[in-house]
Amino acid sequence: MANLIKILQEQKDFSETEIMIATYLLANFRKLAGMSTRQLGKNTYTNSAAIVRFSQKLGFSGYTEFRVQFLAEMMQYINHPKGEELVVSTKDSIHSLIDKVTAIETDTLKETRNMLNPEDFLKVLNLFIKSKHIDFYAMDNNLDIARIASAGFIMANKCSSVHSPMTMQYLQATSASKDHLGFIISRTGNNRMLLDIARLLKLRGISFILITASPNSEIASLADVVFSVASVKQMEELGPRVFLLGAKYVTDIMFTMLMTRLDYHESQQKEQWLNKHFRY
């Protein structure tokens, strides 16, 4: 059983107000993703200040940090209520490994889904509409997700670019105009070079989106929109790979969102032209 879930269930040393909040959270967690402190306070017959104090009592800086962790642990608890950990070992058979990896990746998508706020996608859509070009900033394996996302955005008539060398990424951030939109992918949210780029974009008045597994990181504090992605804590070796799955999931939603706003005949003509001139 996850620590946070256990605390909320046992309600040890909770006041009457805190019991009301904990009881509501456990029963209505699926509604929580897009719920503000004000709305949660109203639903629990308390107020925003009480929600923040409750979050801080549990060891979080505030409601947002609590909500992300609570939803992640709640989804894990639902899928594994007895608290069994999906840890792989040399004793696992091939069938067991298949089942465990499937469970881990399925849980990741479910957890990420519950962290997503539809309003954030509306904010991103507005940023997409205002921008003429999307500049990706990422390192290592995250560059693969950036390339996939960039290719999709171009298909959706949104120009974008990805540069592998960090030197080029620095130059990109230095020379980009205000009609460009930055897009950073960072699991830890604390990479020194990406943090430098985030500060540079902020200094130059260029908006940027962040996909991360650390919504309380320094880069996240600078971003215009932050998308939290679930990761794996009990198997750090799998953490980066699981993060890629969630990051691609978020960019796939953005791609679909852009495609649904394309003129159908225009996109069909583009597809026919590509089929005629290229083999892909």
Side-chain angles (χ1 to χ4, degrees), residues 131-138 146 153 159-163 169 172-173 175-177 179-185 197 201 204 206-209:
S131 66
K132 290 186 178 180
H133 197 99
I134 300 173
D135 302 321
F136 282 90
Y137 302 96
F153 291 170
C159 292
S160 60
S161 57
V162 182
H163 299 291
Q169 293 190 40
Q172 182 172 257
S175 60
S177 56
D179 56 5
H180 281 225
L181 174 65
F183 200 131
I184 298 178
I185 304 176
I197 287 174
L201 293 175
R204 302 188 66 244
I206 298 173
S207 299
F208 75 89
I209 303 162

Side-chain angles (χ1 to χ4, degrees), residues 7-180:
I7 292 171
L8 294 178
Q9 288 177 332
E10 293 180 348
Q11 300 176 0
K12 185 178 180 181
D13 298 326
F14 277 19
S15 65
E16 289 186 12
T17 296
E18 291 164 349
I19 290 173
M20 289 175 64
I21 296 172
T23 302
Y24 180 87
L25 288 170
L26 291 169
N28 300 277
F29 71 94
R30 295 185 188 279
K31 302 176 183 178
L32 196 63
M35 195 178 293
S36 65
T37 54
R38 183 178 178 182
Q39 185 61 50
L40 180 55
K42 181 179 179 181
N43 292 351
T44 55
Y45 304 100
T46 60
N47 53 49
S48 298
I51 301 300
V52 173
R53 286 196 299 271
F54 179 76
S55 302
Q56 291 174 339
K57 178 176 180 176
L58 295 173
F60 299 93
S61 61
Y63 169 65
T64 301
E65 183 181 4
F66 163 78
R67 180 177 60 182
V68 169
Q69 185 63 28
F70 170 67
L71 289 175
E73 292 194 14
M74 197 65 193
M75 289 310 300
Q76 184 71 17
Y77 172 72
I78 287 174
N79 288 287
H80 310 288
K82 295 181 180 179
E84 64 269 24
E85 292 188 351
L86 292 171
V87 178
V88 297
S89 72
T90 55
K91 296 179 181 179
D92 281 308
S93 65
I94 296 299
H95 289 287
S96 176
L97 289 174
I98 292 172
D99 289 341
K100 285 185 176 182
V101 172
T102 300
I104 289 168
E105 298 201 351
T106 301
D107 287 353
T108 298
L109 291 179
K110 288 180 178 179
E111 288 176 26
T112 300
R113 167 62 187 91
N114 281 279
M115 293 178 184
L116 298 179
N117 185 346
E119 292 181 4
D120 289 334
F121 285 97
L122 290 177
K123 293 177 185 176
V124 165
L125 180 60
N126 187 47
L127 290 174
F128 280 161
I129 292 171
K130 291 180 179 179
S131 66
K132 290 186 178 180
H133 197 99
I134 300 173
D135 302 321
F136 282 90
Y137 302 96
M139 294 182 65
D140 303 323
N141 291 335
N142 292 339
L143 280 167
D144 294 334
I145 302 301
R147 292 187 186 97
I148 293 171
S150 176
F153 291 170
I154 290 172
M155 282 294 294
N157 283 353
K158 181 56 63 177
C159 292
S160 60
S161 57
V162 182
H163 299 291
S164 298
M166 284 308 299
T167 304
M168 290 299 296
Q169 293 190 40
Y170 274 119
L171 289 174
Q172 182 172 257
T174 303
S175 60
S177 56
K178 289 188 178 180
D179 56 5
H180 281 225

Side-chain angles (χ1 to χ4, degrees), residues 218-229:
E218 192 166 355
I219 295 179
S221 69
L222 299 172
D224 293 80
V225 186
V226 178
F227 289 95
S228 299
V229 171

Side-chain angles (χ1 to χ4, degrees), residues 189-200:
N190 291 313
N191 179 279
R192 183 182 60 79
M193 289 179 283
L194 292 177
L195 179 56
D196 286 343
I197 287 174
R199 288 170 175 163
L200 179 58

